[in-house]
Amino acid sequence: MVSISANGVNASSLSGDEQVAARADLINRHLFMWQRLSSTGRGELAGRFTDQVTGAPSQVDFTRALDMRRVGVMGHSRGGAAVTWHAADRHREQWPAGVNVKAVLALAPAYNVMTEDMASYRIGGTPFAVMRGTCDGQVGQEALSFASDATDRSTADVYQYRVHGANHNYFNTQWSPSSGQVAAADDALDADGGPAQCTDVDSSAVDRRLSEARQRQVGMTYVGAFFRRYLTDDRASQTLLEGRERPLSHLATIDVRSRVHP
């Protein structure tokens, strides 16, 4: 798993679809570097790795170690909009040579709902999943409806997950209060019934608030199952993805909608 820093895009003056496109370009740039490293052992990433404990330079040989024909992309918040744009049929030709994106997951995606170019988000042939919490204090329910519109003509499998009691920030360890980072916070809106209750930006429905640990456990379980299914063909994950198996029912209520092709 590789995480891309998009702080440069965050600091830019770009907005709307231009910012989403810049994030997609950043994804392609990283995929290009990894494809080159895997196929030749050379490129900008060669010799740039360090030991995660000591920070000392670490020699890692990635030559022919990666299968760039089976790539999964996941983005949170504005990154969720970016991976949708990146995987859209219109933009597939921009993927680096030798790279094939096999699965896409938008996590609490912050879409540009004012776009006049819906075709730039439309995905027709790549398995897709979207997840949003009912106590998201930053992204409204349009995250799910926009994703539905983007995949309404898809011939691939599509999943939608609505996690009761989940907010926006707890999916991200850096944005959660336990990180100690500036502006890290519980973004859920307080609801009648005390601090254990919450609601979202555009609903009066009340749910039981999830803790950081519980919310991330839900996220890791479903995100992991989705990518195992479409990157490794692990069909044992299918029952969970479709909601026929609910191993986390003791932690949270998760509404599941799926459109699976035989």
Side-chain angles (χ1 to χ4, degrees):
M1 181 181 295
V2 176
S3 178
I4 300 173
S5 172
N7 286 337
V9 181
N10 293 339
S12 74
S13 60
L14 297 174
S15 61
D17 287 347
E18 287 186 337
Q19 186 186 94
V20 176
R23 292 172 183 274
D25 289 343
L26 183 65
I27 294 171
N28 277 328
R29 180 59 185 167
H30 276 261
L31 290 174
F32 170 80
M33 290 191 293
W34 281 101
Q35 168 65 5
R36 186 178 182 194
L37 182 68
S38 179
S39 59
T40 69
R42 298 190 296 273
E44 296 167 82
L45 293 178
R48 300 295 297 274
F49 298 94
T50 58
D51 186 282
Q52 63 178 349
V53 176
T54 66
S58 179
Q59 296 301 316
V60 183
D61 185 7
F62 280 100
T63 308
R64 292 182 292 278
L66 305 174
D67 184 357
M68 298 301 293
R69 303 297 301 178
R70 287 179 172 268
V71 173
V73 291
M74 187 273 283
H76 178 219
S77 197
R78 283 177 286 181
V83 297
T84 308
W85 178 287
H86 176 262
D89 296 350
R90 176 179 288 185
H91 303 133
R92 288 172 64 98
E93 63 183 22
Q94 297 173 19
W95 298 350
V99 171
N100 189 25
V101 176
K102 302 284 287 185
V104 182
L105 191 146
L107 183 60
Y111 289 116
N112 174 25
V113 295
M114 302 303 292
T115 185
E116 297 180 356
D117 188 15
M118 192 66 196
S120 286
Y121 293 90
R122 201 172 293 281
I123 298 176
T126 306
F128 179 88
V130 59
M131 178 179 288
R132 178 192 178 268
T134 63
C135 290
D136 193 315
Q138 299 187 46
V139 172
Q141 297 182 53
E142 74 280 351
L144 300 182
S145 58
F146 190 102
S148 293
D149 290 343
T151 56
D152 62 356
R153 305 174 191 173
S154 179
T155 58
D157 298 344
V158 177
Y159 304 90
Q160 183 180 108
Y161 301 103
R162 189 167 170 264
V163 184
H164 288 257
N167 66 14
H168 190 79
N169 287 350
Y170 284 5
F171 286 120
N172 187 318
T173 57
Q174 293 300 297
W175 297 355
S176 297
S178 63
S179 71
Q181 296 289 330
V182 174
D186 176 358
D187 60 278
L189 303 180
D190 292 337
D192 293 340
Q197 306 296 315
C198 59
T199 187
D200 69 7
V201 292
D202 54 12
S203 172
S204 59
V206 175
D207 269 309
R208 178 174 57 89
R209 212 180 210 107
L210 292 183
S211 66
E212 290 184 30
R214 288 191 171 194
Q215 182 168 326
R216 285 199 283 273
Q217 185 174 350
V218 171
M220 289 187 294
T221 297
Y222 281 84
V223 171
F226 176 71
F227 286 118
R228 284 195 306 273
R229 169 64 183 88
Y230 293 101
L231 300 185
T232 71
D233 201 28
D234 175 15
R235 296 181 180 273
S237 302
Q238 194 68 48
T239 55
L240 181 146
L241 293 176
E242 293 182 28
R244 292 181 283 126
E245 176 189 357
R246 296 179 181 268
L248 302 181
S249 59
H250 62 294
L251 296 182
T253 299
I254 303 166
D255 300 332
V256 180
R257 294 179 61 185
S258 63
R259 189 172 73 245
V260 178
H261 297 270

